Amino acid sequence: MTVSDNDTQGPSAAPALAFYGKMLTFSRLQFSTDDLSAIDAQLAATLSNKSSNIPILIDSEVEQDLSALVGLLWSWGLQPIGVVTGTLDAQAREQRLAIFPADGKRIERILPSKKAATQVDKAPDDKRTDSASNNDAAAISESNTEKTIANATAETLMSAQHITSLIYDQMLRSGQSLNHVGGDLILTNSVNSGAEAITDNSLHVYGRAQGRLVAGATGDKDARIFCQVFNPSLVSVAGTYCLRDNLPEHVIDKSVQVRFVEGEGLVFTVMDDA
């Protein structure tokens, strides 16, 4: 979880850095050719000037000379910030560009879990009979099986601890950003105008939901937004967003569910009518 506040602090209390969940609007360019002259001609026919400064995400179906392509995009006033994972991953790493997940995928947070140390059982006494040794071997085998199951269960539980929902009881004030990764974000209070709530899973707001509401922030198209009183300045699921002026009028100040549907975009459902 990351909660950030835009209030200024004194020099002595200022941290070296702080994470913020601000929304970044960028365009995605899909390339079906590595012919730079053809790409340049298409850019010339598409762009009216070379000073747009639009952040660009490169999505290529074919192998590219990424360095040359990035240079071409910059020459047209575009700003490449990363690539969609695929054929350009290796070059992107070399050039320190971001690698974004493909459609419908999430950036999973995978944390290692410690395996329980295995115990070494004492060898059977050489003076015991073969029958006793066989019985001991069976007991040892059964014991080891139980330990293996116990260890696997422990590892599962340890991993599950890192995939948890967050319940936040305070009001999210203007200028604050609440960012949770690894589970649903549940707000029992309101989100004020000028604040933002962001999660890579589903978002639940049981108070008045204003500000910016973001679910599926890393591309999860199954994520949803649930609000008791729906009136946000921006709502987004899996990267598809809608501004306040474009929201359907019948959902304003209602109890609403927002989800992404392939081919339709964001779908708003008044839950009282569902």
Side-chain angles (χ1 to χ4, degrees):
M1 175 192 72
T2 302
V3 182
S4 54
D5 200 321
N6 291 342
D7 296 337
T8 56
Q9 300 178 357
S12 60
L17 58 86
F19 281 103
Y20 287 88
K22 299 300 181 183
M23 294 294 297
L24 174 64
T25 301
F26 55 85
S27 297
R28 178 165 161 173
L29 282 183
Q30 292 183 312
F31 298 92
S32 57
T33 178
D34 60 354
D35 185 345
L36 293 180
S37 60
I39 295 172
D40 184 59
Q42 185 70 46
L43 290 171
T46 304
L47 301 177
S48 59
N49 61 72
K50 294 188 175 184
S51 58
S52 63
N53 296 319
I54 301 173
I56 292 297
L57 183 60
I58 297 172
D59 183 4
S60 182
E61 300 175 358
V62 298
E63 187 70 31
Q64 300 277 352
D65 181 343
L66 186 56
S67 178
L69 180 58
V70 166
L72 176 60
L73 295 175
W74 273 103
S75 73
W76 276 97
L78 305 176
Q79 302 183 45
I81 60 173
V83 303
V84 175
T85 186
T87 59
L88 302 180
D89 287 9
Q91 292 187 72
R93 290 190 183 93
E94 291 178 359
Q95 298 183 41
R96 300 296 190 268
L97 290 175
I99 300 175
F100 289 77
D103 284 343
K105 302 296 183 181
R106 298 176 54 235
I107 299 175
E108 298 290 346
R109 185 173 66 162
I110 301 175
L111 299 178
S113 59
K114 294 180 180 179
K115 293 184 178 180
T118 57
Q119 297 181 1
V120 179
D121 294 283
K122 295 177 66 175
D125 192 326
D126 292 339
K127 295 181 180 179
R128 286 183 286 181
T129 64
D130 291 342
S131 176
S133 297
N134 289 337
N135 290 337
D136 286 347
I140 293 170
S141 177
E142 182 178 353
S143 175
N144 288 340
T145 300
E146 291 174 353
K147 290 174 185 174
T148 300
I149 294 174
N151 292 345
T153 303
E155 290 181 32
T156 301
L157 292 174
M158 292 171 68
S159 297
Q161 290 174 355
H162 300 291
I163 306 175
T164 57
S165 297
L166 170 69
I167 299 176
Y168 190 75
D169 292 322
Q170 301 177 38
M171 178 180 292
L172 208 56
R173 298 181 291 107
S174 178
Q176 289 187 315
S177 175
L178 178 60
N179 194 333
H180 178 60
V181 176
D184 287 4
L185 176 57
I186 303 168
L187 289 83
T188 62
N189 212 315
S190 297
V191 179
N192 285 351
S193 179
E196 61 185 10
I198 303 173
T199 177
D200 61 339
N201 281 50
S202 293
L203 174 64
H204 309 252
V205 183
Y206 291 100
R208 185 172 178 81
Q210 298 176 291
R212 293 177 291 276
L213 310 176
V214 181
T218 55
D220 184 0
K221 293 184 178 180
D222 292 327
R224 300 189 182 193
I225 296 176
F226 303 90
C227 297
Q228 282 291 97
V229 184
F230 185 73
N231 195 354
S233 59
L234 177 147
V235 59
S236 172
V237 177
T240 298
Y241 66 90
C242 182
L243 298 176
R244 173 63 175 79
D245 292 343
N246 297 320
L247 292 175
E249 284 298 324
H250 73 280
V251 304
I252 302 301
D253 290 335
K254 298 292 181 62
S255 179
V256 173
Q257 174 189 174
V258 187
R259 58 195 175 97
F260 176 84
V261 176
E262 196 70 49
E264 297 183 37
L266 297 184
V267 174
F268 302 84
T269 304
V270 177
M271 290 188 283
D272 293 341
D273 300 338

